[in-house]
Each structure stands twice: as C-alpha cells, then as structure tokens.
Amino acid sequence: MGKVGLDGHDRGAKIIARAFRDAGFEVIYTGLHQSPEMVVSTAIQEDVDAVSLSILSGAHTHLFSRVLELLREQDASEIVVFGGGIIRRKTSPL
C-alpha cells in the first residue's frame, strides 16, 4: 500500500491496510510521501501481487499513470494496481 505524492493524510490507508491484514493478506505499507519510483521499487523487491494507492490530493491521473508506466518498464505489468481516495469526476462544460 502506497501513499504517493505530497498527500500527508494516511488514516484511510491504514484502515484499509488493517482490513486487508485481518482478512489474511500480507500487507506492506510504504508510508507517506512516496514517489511512484519508490512504490514500484518496493513492489518489485517484495514480489507483490498487487499495489494499492491512496491519494487524497486529486493527482490520480498523473500518479496512477506513472506507477503503471514504471511497472511496464520493469516488466512487472502483471502486478495489479488499484486505489482510492478523493477521485475527481471530470465534468463537461455546460
């Protein structure tokens, strides 16, 4: 589980991490202020099956794309990426 970007709020990420752990998953929480490069490096070193990203800053498009790009570059595109936080919905102008 990664907190990418400058977002300093991790309460929700910790709750989800605990829920995954209680459900029997092994969870690695990388902590606050991680770069996409740091999250991908940890994911590859730890041989994870999935990466969960929590982003409250609204930078999902950029940060998720970067994590996916780095995973492809490292031949690790089989790692599932999912996440949550505050996800802005694009609206069309009226």
Side-chain angles (χ1 to χ4, degrees):
M1 178 157 297
K3 287 292 294 175
V4 272
L6 300 177
D7 179 2
H9 302 280
D10 66 348
R11 183 175 177 191
K14 288 178 178 177
I15 291 169
I16 297 300
R18 188 174 302 119
F20 281 144
R21 185 201 63 210
D22 291 350
F25 292 92
E26 180 180 349
V27 177
I28 300 165
Y29 175 55
T30 60
L32 292 170
H33 310 297
Q34 300 292 299
S35 69
E37 290 80 5
M38 294 163 78
V39 169
V40 169
S41 176
T42 300
I44 291 170
Q45 286 175 347
E46 297 292 336
D47 193 28
V48 303
D49 296 314
V51 170
S52 173
L53 300 175
S54 174
I55 304 169
L56 297 177
S57 66
H60 288 80
T61 302
H62 171 72
L63 294 170
F64 273 73
S65 296
R66 183 68 179 139
V67 167
L68 292 170
E69 177 185 336
L70 291 166
L71 287 170
R72 279 191 298 274
E73 288 175 6
Q74 298 292 322
D75 293 324
S77 57
E78 74 281 357
I79 296 175
V80 175
V81 177
F82 63 98
I86 297 175
I87 302 174
R88 295 182 185 151
R89 186 179 80 163
K90 289 187 177 184
T91 58
S92 61
L94 297 175

